[in-house]
Amino acid sequence: KYFILNQDITTEAYSLSHKINSSHLKADFNILPGRHKINTGFEITRYSVIPGKYYPAGDSSLIIPNVIDREAAYEPAVYIDDKYSLTDFLTLNLGIRISSFFSLGPQTVLLYNPGFSKNRSSISDTINFRQGELTSKYAGPELRASLNYRISDKNSLKINYNRTRQYIHLLSNSISISPTDTWKLSDYYFNPETGDQYAVGFYQMLRNKSIETSAELYYKEIKNMVDFKGGSTLALVENIEQVMINVRGKAYG
């Protein structure tokens, strides 16, 4: 959470706050049959986000209070991972995690005319969700595969692939000098981010295996990232889909 207090001008004094809470429950099991090392389990995460509270600071302030509705959601998942020793020098690791996401009301969703930019003039209808009512849901697999070849007792080569899904988005405005980063949950308009990462690495032990060194190359493609339109303000935006856009991204190094 963060809290900003500005009292430079008495009639414009204000306080601005943002908060996110998450609670996590996980059960994990390990099974070791033969050359296999199986790790399986389930987990659930609960999110509660206060997007923004804006209040007058002091009796002389003329600021009009503004509170953006709370966001709530659950993210349950099940997973299984198997590390299998094919030979004394070659290990294969395969895993899958099925994650899901359920966003809950209360929430008011604005519908827009297709083919037009999302703004007040293109609103066509409104959907009102009650307290605890399901507003949107997502689900999908997260995949994992890696191959580790031990060249000798001191060095090894590893190749891996990962697919991840992220249901919470960080909206960051680097222009502002204040800590006004905002966390946004996936909802009616914001799909979860998905990332596909490919990597290859070489590992070397030095000084009688007391030091481990490594060199890695990776490339990652990201879908459904969110960014804000130029000149937009992120703080206290009630219908934030009007100032955000979906983009694609990549990272490598």
Side-chain angles (χ1 to χ4, degrees), residues 70-104:
R70 181 179 66 91
E71 297 181 37
Y74 286 90
E75 181 188 343
V78 294
Y79 58 89
I80 185 170
D81 181 272
D82 184 11
K83 185 177 182 181
Y84 178 50
S85 299
L86 298 170
T87 69
D88 292 339
F89 296 95
L90 191 62
T91 302
L92 176 66
N93 195 330
L94 296 174
I96 184 171
R97 179 178 183 268
I98 305 297
S99 67
S100 55
F101 183 83
F102 302 92
S103 179
L104 306 177

